[in-house]
Structures are given as structure tokens and as C-alpha cells.
Amino acid sequence: MNKTGLFYATGTEKTAAIARKIVEAFGDDAIDVVPVERAWKKEFERYEYLVAGTSTWFDGELPSYWDEMMPELQTLDLSGKKAAIFGLGDQVNYPDNFVDGIGLLAEVFKACGAELAGYTSTEGYYFNQSKGMKDGRFLGLAIDPETQPEKTDGRIRRWVEELKKEGFGS
């Protein structure tokens, strides 16, 4: 078993595509993929390093698969663990809640005792506001597959390299 688990909804096309790219960037055997639809408390607590992916729906909401997990997530003890979050959004059509999902997941993981990792710069993005941002940085990796798909691979590669320096994927 690896020390790093990647959690995302396997039935979501765009989030799944980004998750596959992240797995490739780490190396196919470096992390375990855990479908969030089938994850339980023990799966989250099993790993030392957690990578969680989500899109942002509607007016800044978590997709139903994460939203339904919230009651269980809030009971986790993630003390001593690191969590990195990646999120998808559309900064042109939803500039007032771009990648809010990152912030919503970050809030829960921090409340459960996890240390957040993988902060990224907001440079090169154009949006009005985001719950996924604090102190001028994103609380994880922000991906806009709608208006900046050409930047996705480079952003993933740089993010994964930073996470590896913090012990993810080892």
C-alpha cells in the first residue's frame, strides 16, 4: 500500500481526466486511486498523504458525491496527515465562485486536523472571487479546462513536483 491516496469521483469526466494526469505525473505506482463514491472513513484515515479532487457546481457548491460525504468527512481524525486539493472551475462563466470547491474541501480537511499542502499562485487566472483562495493564493491546484486547457499539463506537472518535495507519492 502506498502512503498517498487520491480521492475523486470516477464518474465525472473532467475531474477524472485531471486525476489521471496527476497519477501519470506522480508515476503510475506512486499513489493509490480511491473512488470517493466508495470511500469510507477508514480509507481517508489509512493514508498519510491525501490528494482530493473536485469540481465546483452551480453557484459555488460541491458536487453531490462530495456533498453526501460531508457528514462522514467531518468525523475524521486527520491529525499528522497532509492534504492537497485540486479543483476544476470556469473563471469566465463563473467568476464569482471560481474553484470554490477547493475552499470547501480545504475547510473540512483542516477542521479534521490535516495540514494543507500544494498552495498555488493565482497569477494567470482572471476571476472576481473564490472560496478556494486565501492570502492571495489558491488552497490547492486550480484548473480551468474550459478557458485555459493549454495550461493544464504544465500546472499539474509543477504542482506534483512541489507535492513530491513534501513527501507525497513517496
Side-chain angles (χ1 to χ4, degrees):
M1 180 182 77
N2 292 310
K3 293 180 184 178
T4 305
L6 186 149
F7 297 81
Y8 73 98
T10 57
T12 57
E13 184 178 320
K14 292 176 186 175
T15 306
I18 299 304
R20 284 191 297 274
K21 289 177 182 250
I22 290 170
V23 169
E24 286 176 20
F26 270 110
D28 289 339
D29 296 330
I31 59 176
D32 293 335
V33 174
V34 183
V36 74
E37 303 94 334
R38 295 189 295 263
W40 297 96
K41 185 176 180 175
K42 65 182 181 206
E43 277 82 27
F44 286 95
E45 292 177 342
R46 170 182 301 155
Y47 295 98
E48 187 176 340
Y49 301 94
L50 307 165
V51 177
T54 187
S55 57
T56 300
W57 283 8
F58 309 115
D59 293 326
E61 301 169 21
L62 284 173
S64 57
Y65 53 87
W66 278 111
D67 197 43
E68 292 167 5
M69 293 264 329
M70 279 301 162
E72 183 159 359
L73 287 176
Q74 293 168 341
T75 69
L76 297 174
D77 178 6
L78 301 178
S79 302
K81 299 178 185 294
K82 287 187 178 183
I85 301 162
F86 68 94
L88 285 67
D90 179 341
Q91 62 194 317
V92 172
N93 292 307
Y94 298 96
D96 294 325
N97 51 30
F98 179 60
V99 297
D100 278 359
I102 291 174
L104 297 171
L105 286 184
E107 188 177 296
V108 171
F109 282 108
K110 279 183 70 170
C112 294
E115 175 187 344
L116 291 182
Y119 292 82
T120 59
S121 172
T122 60
E123 187 176 330
Y125 296 88
Y126 306 95
F127 60 97
N128 296 333
Q129 60 187 4
S130 175
K131 290 179 185 173
M133 186 179 84
K134 184 174 181 180
D135 298 327
R137 300 185 302 167
F138 287 119
L139 299 169
L141 175 64
I143 297 291
D144 184 342
E146 305 304 324
T147 61
Q148 294 182 330
E150 73 284 356
K151 296 184 178 188
T152 297
D153 291 344
R155 287 174 172 162
I156 290 171
R157 187 181 65 255
R158 287 186 297 276
W159 190 63
V160 167
E161 288 306 314
E162 287 302 313
L163 293 180
K164 285 180 177 180
K165 291 176 186 175
E166 296 196 41
F168 286 77
S170 60

